[in-house]
Amino acid sequence: MESVKSNGTEQVVKSSSLSSWQSNLQEAAMEELNRGQKQAERLLLLLKGVLSSPESRPAAELLVDVGAAFAKALTFMELKKDESESDKAPINSEGMSSCSHEQIKRKFQTSRRRSCRRRAHPYSCTTIFSTKIEDGHGWRKYGQKGIYGSKHPRSYYRCVHKHDRGCPVTRQVQRTEEDDSIFAITYVGQHTCMEDDHTTAATDLQALTLESKMNKNDDASDDDDKELAAPPSAMKRDCEEEMISIESTTAGSCSSSEISSTFSGLAPLSAEDGNYSSANLGFGMGFDELIALMSAH
DNA sequence: CAGATTTGACCATC
DNA sequence: GATGGTCAAATCTG
């Protein structure tokens, strides 16, 4: 029911439902991460002559870091996949609470309600993974739900300008299973409240990303309801009607390198001190081993 | 007291 | 029937 097409810069996944496109996205993301890792390896081999010189050591380290980050991201995706396939949590049936006068009152209010139609075909959505939920926009929380099979509740927000400017954007924020300090933030729709400050918002996001990188572990310890925190958006998913497009442009803050930067943020590789242990490296070897190997070629 | 958040209910979709 | 998105009254907070 879906096709996954990879042309190097874009992946398109067709899907007929939200849940299936999420799993398709996961598959597509893993495929893309795999490709990124392989490309990094290829680049490393291509540049082996240049990178073996002492002065290009920083570049080589960077390249190693990129490969490591891809591998780490892949590992997380594998974990997530395993979890969702085998680890379905049992349903916790609390039973219905007894009927109060409040309930009766609500029954009479139903006629006032607008239809709350579940999105069968989301027209536009974007998911990022970040340890910070602030994005420079104002959001009003309008709901929270426990999600089946997920240990963290999902919070629902809408743009504060929904009423005054008719901005239709909503977002869903949920802590990831892999790391409580990382949030999966799904934006649905696009802001119509910020025509003027569109670029400003983009800049804000980039600033946030930078800031986050610097404060990686500073503020990730708040409780579930006060979702805060740090680093960059790692992965971005875009879907138009039934189409999901995984972009890999830096302009959209969704490059592969950002995917890796967030994941490396989980267990930071210290590029500064050059402390690359084999365990950290996605290539399965340390920097020195790698250089030795490159030199041997 | 106004605005924001919480929480249980409603309802569409699968 | 299960699940997830939204509503709106109740509650909280500054």
Side-chain angles (χ1 to χ4, degrees):
Chain A
M1 65 174 170
E2 64 276 327
S3 67
V4 177
K5 185 177 70 182
S6 176
N7 61 11
T9 57
E10 186 180 53
Q11 281 211 359
V12 176
V13 180
K14 282 190 177 180
S15 173
S16 58
S17 70
L18 199 61
S19 57
S20 64
W21 67 252
Q22 279 177 336
S23 67
N24 288 327
L25 268 173
Q26 194 171 328
E27 292 291 336
M30 288 178 68
E31 197 174 297
E32 201 60 11
L33 288 170
N34 233 324
R35 199 174 61 80
Q37 188 187 10
K38 285 189 166 59
Q39 298 289 62
E41 286 173 4
R42 282 185 58 197
L43 185 58
L44 202 59
L45 285 175
L46 281 172
L47 298 175
K48 63 184 179 187
V50 183
L51 294 180
S52 53
S53 65
E55 58 269 25
S56 21
R57 186 179 170 112
E61 288 178 342
L62 200 60
L63 201 47
V64 170
D65 193 16
V66 169
F70 272 119
K72 194 167 286 187
L74 267 170
T75 306
F76 281 115
M77 296 296 283
E78 289 284 0
L79 282 173
K80 174 69 181 173
K81 192 180 174 188
D82 291 347
E83 231 173 57
S84 55
E85 278 171 3
S86 64
D87 195 36
K88 298 288 182 191
I91 303 169
N92 180 18
S93 57
E94 300 280 342
M96 300 289 283
S97 57
S98 58
C99 208
S100 64
H101 78 281
E102 185 59 35
Q103 273 182 303
I104 297 166
K105 195 170 78 179
R106 281 173 186 271
K107 298 254 181 209
F108 283 101
Q109 289 168 344
T110 54
S111 59
R112 276 197 292 163
R113 296 189 177 214
R114 284 186 232 152
S115 63
C116 46
R117 192 174 294 266
R118 189 158 148 193
R119 271 179 299 110
H121 302 290
Y123 56 91
S124 174
C125 60
T126 302
T127 299
I128 66 170
F129 291 89
S130 173
T131 52
K132 239 181 184 163
I133 63 168
E134 291 87 354
D135 60 359
H137 291 287
W139 297 98
R140 172 83 28 84
K141 189 173 183 176
Y142 66 88
Q144 177 171 312
K145 279 206 75 103
I147 300 301
Y148 176 75
S150 179
K151 59 184 177 185
H152 302 298
R154 180 179 297 164
S155 298
Y156 299 88
Y157 298 83
R158 66 166 66 95
C159 180
V160 293
H161 300 300
K162 179 184 173 69
H163 299 299
D164 56 347
R165 299 190 206 175
C167 186
V169 188
T170 63
R171 72 171 185 176
Q172 299 165 7
V173 178
Q174 187 175 12
R175 291 181 186 273
T176 59
E177 302 286 315
E178 292 87 357
D179 190 322
D180 290 356
S181 64
I182 293 184
F183 299 95
I185 307 172
T186 301
Y187 294 86
V188 180
Q190 292 190 329
H191 284 284
T192 59
C193 60
M194 46 171 275
E195 267 104 36
D196 292 342
D197 40 273
H198 189 77
T199 51
T200 311
T203 310
D204 285 349
L205 198 59
Q206 284 179 346
L208 195 65
T209 298
L210 273 174
E211 177 201 358
S212 303
K213 280 178 178 171
M214 300 178 76
N215 301 326
K216 219 171 281 179
N217 300 314
D218 287 355
D219 48 3
S221 56
D222 293 85
D223 62 41
D224 269 25
D225 297 330
K226 309 275 184 193
E227 300 129 57
L228 299 171
S233 53
M235 186 161 128
K236 178 179 181 176
R237 301 194 298 220
D238 266 348
C239 53
E240 291 280 328
E241 292 169 354
E242 291 188 328
M243 238 184 239
I244 300 156
S245 160
I246 300 179
E247 299 174 2
S248 49
T249 61
T250 48
S253 299
C254 56
S255 66
S256 299
S257 61
E258 286 201 14
I259 295 174
S260 55
S261 54
T262 284
F263 279 97
S264 63
L266 298 175
L269 294 170
S270 53
E272 289 78 21
D273 60 18
N275 180 24
Y276 291 95
S277 70
S278 296
N280 276 345
L281 290 171
F283 290 151
M285 64 188 83
F287 172 77
D288 291 324
E289 289 171 83
L290 201 67
I291 293 299
L293 183 72
M294 282 160 47
S295 305
H297 272 80

